Amino acid sequence: MSTPTRGIVILDFGSQFTQLIARRIRSKGVFSVVLPWNAAREKILSYDPSGVILSGGPASVFEENAPTIPADIWSWDRPVLGICYGMQLVARDLGLSVERVGKAEYGHARIRANSSHPLFRNTPAEQSVWMSHGDSVRGGGTALDVLATSNEGEMAAFHVPPKRAYAVQFHPEVHHTAFGDTILENFLVEVCHAERNWSAGAIVNQMVGEIRELVGDGRVICAVSGGVDSSVVACLVDRAVGKKLHCVFVDNGLLRAGEREAVTGLLASHLSAPLEVVDARARFLERLRGVDDPEEKRKRIGNLFIEIFEEVSTARGPFDFLAQGTLYPDRIESFSTGGPSVTIKTHHNVGGLPKNMRFKLVEPLALLFKDEVRAVGAELGLPRHQLSRHPFPGPGLAVRVLGEVTEEKLAILRQADAIFIDALREYGLYDTVWQALAVLLPVKSVGVMGDARTYAFPIVLRAVTSTDGMTADWAELPTEFLREVSSRIINRVPHVNRVAYDVSSKPPSTIEWE
Ligand code: XMP
């Protein structure tokens, strides 16, 4: 997808909040893109930005080899907003003095701001902000308007009118900064006059046009998993090229209860393109027989998926394009002295891209954040419950049946999982957790049911809160809820006589057990 112009380019100096700046701006309907601080001038200006933001970062301008501001930035004649470290860069570059102060400001701080200045319009004179800096701007050298001062007496914001340079020492992008959103909005609207052309409807129209142009008379193959990303990609490509698309859903036998029917039913009603369902349950079980090492299981599942995908693409091909749901956070590679500022997640698209297959890629979501993908999905008519589904791993229940995977164990886990997930929905808890799952352990323990002794499997329930799956905390589900789910599982699922709840966070544990 090509980029809408007249957005905001954010140069990343390594702050953990850089992506957040981009998301905040996009949520206001203005396109924004994050580039590394040392991106080529041509690359930056290819976006024809209506403004440039310099993010914060862990470096100090006093360090040797500290990242620097683009050499000719002031000749671009675009408003520039420096945030935190970005403020010190702007200051240094414009001949102001920056000093290492004895006392770093970190966390909540109060500032006095000039509310009549466009950057602080609609914010009060006294406001609380979030700071994290050890260096401070002192002024001198260049005429500047001081726009805000902290209660420690440090300069908290300034403006150098001839250069169209703005800078804030605090982080307007974090919610602890009470009027941060207004300040960012002011920068976009009052200062940059940025265009608000970034909405789900506009994105869909633009992407559909571009996919159509890209694909031309070619044919596209797309593997769908039932997850949000692949469903949205399939629907978008379908809207663009209809029957030139061929969708493939592989039933690997490692799906949750009712999953195949739910996914194929939903997609069939949204696609005009054919949706081929490959029943590969027996092949996957066969491939997993006797294997209990988690990595070996994953490897075998991934390889078999690719084999099947190749079979389908040969049988139904030739195809020129592969459509896949790579998202923006998977692609951002943003480096600074402090290393990558955003986590590059090891992404497992459905089965991964077959290495020896020579497809051109259609990646319409490659500029979108997850919440934007959901908005696009809603725009395409996908139901809310589909768009808010918990993540589900490619290797499916195979990494939740610990040890060797058998049909019997899968059946037990499927029942327990369905009871847990249904109950979460019934109690209105589903959307309060990032992910919930059940695990079947490969051991047995003693119980008593009626008057009889039982010797059966334990089920472990796991529910976590998280924002990106990279770190997670166990969810504090209500005791009454856990009591009810436990009793439903033990009473209804044969071969289970015990339920445990996993109270481990990630790290040091992981979300999945294998
Ligand atoms: P872990 O277990 O590493 O999981 O804490 C983090 C997130 O990633 C999901 N996950 C996978 N997703 N293929 C996927 O598509 C995989 O092989 C895979 N392994 C883990 C997991 O469900 C959680 O959301």
Side-chain angles (χ1 to χ4, degrees):
M1 184 182 168
S2 74
T3 321
T5 51
R6 310 303 300 154
I8 300 289
V9 166
I10 300 163
L11 295 183
D12 180 25
F13 288 88
S15 163
Q16 56 179 317
F17 302 128
T18 305
Q19 274 208 48
L20 195 55
I21 306 174
R23 300 182 61 154
R24 288 258 186 277
I25 294 174
R26 287 190 184 189
S27 71
K28 298 176 184 308
V30 174
F31 177 71
S32 71
V33 65
V34 176
L35 299 177
W37 62 271
N38 53 359
R41 167 190 204 277
E42 296 69 39
K43 172 88 179 162
I44 297 169
L45 293 180
S46 71
Y47 289 95
D48 189 18
S50 40
V52 177
I53 291 182
L54 311 175
S55 83
S60 157
V61 289
F62 296 109
E63 284 167 20
E64 228 177 288
N65 300 324
T68 51
I69 206 163
D72 58 347
I73 191 167
W74 308 115
S75 71
W76 302 349
D77 194 27
R78 327 255 163 166
V80 171
L81 173 66
I83 294 176
C84 196
Y85 178 68
M87 161 148 154
Q88 282 136 30
L89 285 176
V90 170
R92 271 271 279 245
D93 215 61
L94 295 182
L96 303 171
S97 81
V98 179
E99 283 177 17
R100 170 139 289 177
V101 284
K103 192 164 51 152
E105 285 182 305
Y106 186 82
H108 287 286
R110 296 213 39 99
I111 59 167
R112 274 201 74 79
N114 174 2
S115 320
S116 60
H117 186 276
L119 195 62
F120 285 91
R121 194 154 292 164
N122 300 321
T123 72
E126 281 266 350
Q127 48 186 288
S128 61
V129 298
W130 184 260
M131 297 273 199
S132 89
H133 69 113
D135 301 337
S136 278
V137 175
R138 287 287 182 256
T142 298
L144 81 170
D145 297 338
V146 175
L147 303 184
T149 310
S150 79
N151 52 2
E152 298 288 336
E154 303 293 347
M155 195 185 303
F158 69 80
H159 177 199
V160 178
K163 299 289 189 193
R164 304 175 80 189
Y166 300 76
V168 291
Q169 187 57 70
F170 54 89
H171 287 276
E173 69 277 19
V174 306
H175 76 263
H176 306 291
T177 294
F179 294 89
D181 220 41
T182 312
I183 294 165
L184 278 179
E185 170 106 10
N186 287 341
F187 180 67
L188 300 180
V189 177
E190 306 273 342
V191 175
C192 299
H193 310 293
E195 280 175 29
R196 292 190 200 256
N197 54 8
W198 193 248
S199 67
I203 298 171
V204 168
N205 284 339
Q206 184 176 341
M207 286 196 294
V208 164
E210 286 176 6
I211 296 167
R212 217 170 263 160
E213 195 169 313
L214 176 70
V215 169
D217 290 329
R219 294 184 66 219
V220 189
I221 187 166
C222 177
V224 291
S225 66
V228 177
D229 306 340
S230 66
S231 304
V232 171
V233 167
C235 289
L236 262 176
V237 178
D238 184 76
R239 187 174 280 199
V241 302
K243 294 204 162 44
K244 285 184 254 177
L245 169 70
H246 186 84
C247 292
V248 185
F249 176 78
V250 177
D251 182 352
N252 58 13
L254 307 169
L255 305 172
R256 284 167 295 190
E259 182 108 13
R260 171 172 165 174
E261 297 71 20
V263 171
T264 53
L266 177 83
L267 284 178
S269 68
H270 279 79
L271 297 175
S272 62
L275 170 63
E276 179 171 357
V277 180
V278 181
D279 185 349
R281 289 177 293 180
R283 287 174 73 179
F284 276 91
L285 262 186
E286 179 55 34
R287 196 65 71 93
L288 288 169
R289 192 195 312 222
V291 182
D292 60 7
D293 177 68
E295 277 311 301
E296 184 61 25
K297 284 201 236 175
R298 282 173 175 273
K299 223 181 286 166
R300 289 186 184 218
I301 293 166
N303 289 342
L304 181 54
F305 180 87
I306 291 174
E307 280 173 44
I308 292 170
F309 194 70
E310 283 175 331
E311 288 166 17
V312 173
S313 76
T314 306
R316 311 283 179 216
F319 294 99
D320 312 279
F321 294 91
L322 174 77
Q324 59 177 24
T326 316
L327 301 196
Y328 191 47
D330 305 323
R331 292 196 335 153
I332 298 185
E333 286 184 53
S334 196
F335 294 92
S336 72
T337 49
S341 68
V342 287
T343 319
I344 301 165
K345 192 171 161 190
T346 319
H347 193 66
H348 329 258
N349 269 322
V350 195
L353 177 62
K355 293 253 181 327
N356 56 347
M357 299 182 91
R358 304 237 167 269
F359 294 120
K360 283 171 263 175
L361 290 181
V362 182
E363 295 184 302
L365 311 184
L367 277 176
L368 305 187
F369 288 111
K370 190 83 181 185
D371 48 344
E372 294 173 321
V373 173
R374 293 204 175 95
V376 166
E379 182 73 24
L380 290 165
L382 288 169
R384 208 196 74 82
H385 68 85
Q386 167 71 10
L387 297 169
S388 62
R389 281 163 58 116
H390 293 166
F392 186 65
L397 300 184
V399 291
R400 298 176 181 175
V401 167
L402 301 203
E404 186 184 1
V405 178
T406 64
E407 205 163 358
E408 295 70 32
K409 287 186 170 177
L410 285 169
I412 295 171
L413 179 60
R414 226 173 249 129
Q415 289 177 65
D417 178 77
I419 290 170
F420 184 31
I421 300 296
D422 288 349
L424 281 168
R425 290 203 188 274
E426 180 187 326
Y427 279 69
L429 294 167
Y430 185 86
D431 291 329
T432 68
V433 298
W434 154 268
Q435 194 171 11
L437 51 111
V439 176
L440 179 67
L441 300 189
V443 292
K444 287 184 174 180
S445 75
V446 173
V448 56
M449 212 172 234
D451 290 329
R453 173 188 188 272
T454 58
Y455 188 53
F457 294 112
I459 283 284
V460 178
L461 304 180
R462 178 136 176 81
V464 294
T465 54
S466 176
T467 50
D468 55 9
M470 301 307 293
T471 61
D473 210 352
W474 60 276
E476 295 190 34
L477 294 177
T479 313
E480 270 320 302
F481 169 80
L482 289 173
R483 189 191 307 282
E484 176 61 24
V485 173
S486 164
S487 107
R488 285 184 196 175
I489 290 175
I490 293 169
N491 287 326
R492 295 183 199 167
V493 184
H495 312 293
V496 173
N497 65 352
R498 196 175 288 275
V499 170
Y501 187 61
D502 184 347
V503 288
S504 333
S505 57
K506 172 186 179 178
S509 300
T510 52
I511 297 176
E512 304 290 346
W513 273 49
E514 282 191 344

